[in-house]
């Protein structure tokens, strides 16, 4: 038995008396469109309830449970013992080195990572694919291998260190070596975060700005920077977060001298070796809270900038803007 299309389609209800024919036709078409969209809704994954339940359970087992264990172990200490542990001079020195070096490395990566992403997106040159692949090398390279390689390069008898030390610049076994190692492992986070956003920025916008008399600096500040700034800050935050917890690539080049070049993850490991589990978790809690506060500040800054950008009124262009006054005008 065959079924015709006319019998399968639902019949539109007649318009109410007095209603114009055009409005009745629009209402009928809207109902047909809604039915068609609802009939096409199909998801490969299970429904929302099952997916959400699996997500919550998975995150609880992988993230929340280990972090809860850290806090619960720290609660075995009294407040005086906790405060004495986390404010010891050696621990405070490790905080300053870990967060200070991570911040410096993240700033360096923010500047040069943007430059690397710009070159990879906007230029064509021989060996571009090779350089693009080398950016991901810190992701795949074991951190211990990276630390040994950097130490061999920047030691007093290394390929680079033998030229720097006569100038009074000692890199290996100093805090400067920690910054170098953290810069090495954090570069891909900035490049891979900014690169796709730069690819989406239309080159015609820069050409239009130049044709209206904007300088290169004005074009970058007023056209390109607002588009890439959220992604740029995200890459900076990822590089900073990755650097604060880095261990393998740092311990080889840092020298691990207490009060000088000892990072906080190494101090936590030393306490674990001494079976001082509560002391190790106390320092880890402080690191966790400080990192969370810094990342929260970066995310709040991103949200504020996004709201300012979305809520700003569109500038009204004059009837015939001149090339010299378009970008210098306050309304633009």
């Amino acid at each position: 038995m065959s079924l015709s299309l006319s019998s399968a389609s639902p019949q539109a209800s007649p318009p109410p008396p007095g209603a114009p024919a055009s409005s009745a036709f629009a209402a009928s078409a809207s109902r047909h469109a809604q039915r068609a969209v609802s009939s096409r809704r199909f998801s490969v994954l299970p429904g929302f309830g099952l997916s959400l339940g699996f997500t919550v359970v998975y995150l609880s087992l992988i993230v929340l449970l280990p972090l809860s264990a850290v806090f619960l172990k720290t609660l075995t200490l009294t407040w005086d013992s906790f405060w004495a542990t986390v404010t010891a001079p050696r621990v405070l020195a490790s905080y300053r080195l870990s967060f200070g070096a991570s911040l410096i490395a993240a700033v360096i990566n923010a500047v040069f990572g943007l430059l690397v992403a710009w070159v990879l997106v906007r230029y064509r040159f021989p060996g571009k694919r090779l350089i693009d692949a080398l950016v991901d090398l810190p992701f795949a390279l074991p951190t211990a291998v990276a630390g040994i390689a950097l130490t061999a390069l920047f030691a007093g008898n290394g390929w680079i260190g033998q030229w720097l030390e006569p100038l009074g610049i000692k890199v290996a076994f100093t805090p400067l070596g920690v910054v170098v190692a953290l810069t090495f492992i954090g570069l891909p986070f900035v490049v891979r975060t900014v690169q796709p956003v730069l690819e989406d920025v239309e080159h015609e916008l820069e050409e239009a700005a130049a044709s209206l008399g904007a300088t290169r600096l004005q074009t970058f500040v007023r056209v390109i920077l607002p588009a890439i700034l959220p992604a740029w800050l995200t890459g900076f935050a990822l590089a900073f977060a990755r650097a604060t917890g880095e261990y393998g690539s740092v311990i080889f080049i840092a020298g691990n001298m207490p009060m000088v070049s000892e990072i906080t993850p190494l101090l936590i490991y030393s306490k674990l070796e001494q079976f001082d589990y509560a002391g190790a978790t106390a320092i880890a809690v402080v690191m966790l809270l400080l990192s969370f506060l810094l990342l929260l500040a970066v995310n709040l800054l991103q949200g504020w900038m996004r709201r300012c950008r979305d809520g700003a009124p569109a500038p009204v262009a004059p009837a015939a803007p001149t090339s010299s006054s378009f970008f210098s005008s306050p309304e633009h």
Side-chain angles (χ1 to χ4, degrees):
M1 180 170 55
S2 62
L3 182 64
S4 63
L5 293 177
S6 60
S7 63
S9 60
Q11 298 295 326
S13 60
S22 59
S23 62
F25 177 77
S28 177
S30 176
R31 286 194 298 270
H32 279 284
Q34 290 177 357
R35 292 194 187 100
V37 170
S38 61
S39 64
R40 288 196 299 267
R41 285 177 182 172
F42 175 74
S43 176
V44 177
L45 296 177
F48 173 74
L50 183 60
S51 301
L52 180 62
F54 175 79
T55 301
V56 172
V57 171
Y58 183 79
L59 290 178
S60 300
L61 294 176
I62 300 299
V63 179
L64 296 181
L65 188 60
L67 296 182
S68 301
V70 172
F71 280 94
L72 291 176
K73 188 63 178 179
T74 305
L75 291 177
T76 60
L77 293 173
T78 63
W79 173 253
D80 293 336
S81 301
F82 172 81
W83 188 253
T85 300
V86 300
T87 58
R90 183 177 175 183
V91 179
L92 293 177
S94 69
Y95 291 154
R96 288 191 293 267
L97 177 61
S98 294
F99 287 100
S102 299
L103 181 61
I104 295 173
V107 171
I108 295 173
N109 283 325
V111 175
F112 291 97
L114 175 60
L115 180 61
V116 172
W118 181 272
V119 171
L120 291 177
V121 170
R122 293 302 175 90
Y123 298 103
R124 297 179 180 272
F125 52 91
K128 177 181 176 179
R129 292 187 178 180
L130 177 61
I131 295 178
D132 195 12
L134 289 177
V135 171
D136 294 327
L137 185 61
F139 282 152
L141 192 67
T143 55
V145 176
I148 294 173
L150 292 174
T151 305
L153 284 175
F154 291 99
N157 56 352
W159 290 354
I160 302 177
Q162 64 179 344
W163 302 104
L164 294 179
E165 287 202 359
L167 301 176
I169 304 175
K170 187 175 182 181
V171 178
F173 315 122
T174 63
L176 181 58
V178 178
V179 175
V180 171
L182 297 182
T183 304
F184 173 80
I185 58 100
L187 178 65
F189 291 95
V190 179
V191 176
R192 294 310 183 205
T193 306
V194 176
Q195 188 174 359
V197 181
L198 275 177
E199 292 175 350
D200 292 337
V201 176
E202 297 180 358
H203 191 65
E204 288 77 7
L205 296 176
E206 303 170 39
E207 296 176 350
S211 65
L212 292 171
T215 63
R216 293 185 178 184
L217 180 60
Q218 288 175 326
T219 304
F220 177 79
V221 172
R222 300 192 179 190
V223 176
I224 300 173
L225 187 60
I228 68 172
L229 192 55
W232 196 20
L233 287 177
T234 301
F236 169 82
L238 291 175
F240 176 80
R242 177 68 176 85
T244 54
E246 178 60 20
Y247 177 79
S249 63
V250 176
I251 57 173
F252 292 99
I253 196 172
N256 308 322
M257 297 175 60
M259 307 292 295
V260 177
S261 59
E262 186 179 40
I263 59 174
T264 305
L266 177 62
L267 191 57
I268 295 174
Y269 181 75
S270 300
K271 286 189 173 293
L272 290 176
E273 284 187 329
Q274 300 168 8
F275 301 100
D276 185 7
Y277 300 119
T281 55
I283 300 175
V285 165
V286 174
M287 286 281 292
L288 178 63
L289 292 177
L290 291 176
S291 300
F292 176 77
L293 291 176
L294 291 171
L295 292 178
L296 178 63
V298 173
N299 289 329
L300 291 177
L301 179 61
Q302 285 180 334
W304 175 75
M305 292 171 45
R306 190 176 294 110
R307 287 192 300 270
C308 291
R309 183 186 62 186
D310 296 340
V316 179
T322 60
S323 61
S324 60
S325 62
F326 184 81
F327 274 84
S328 60
S329 175
E331 353 179 86
H332 294 84

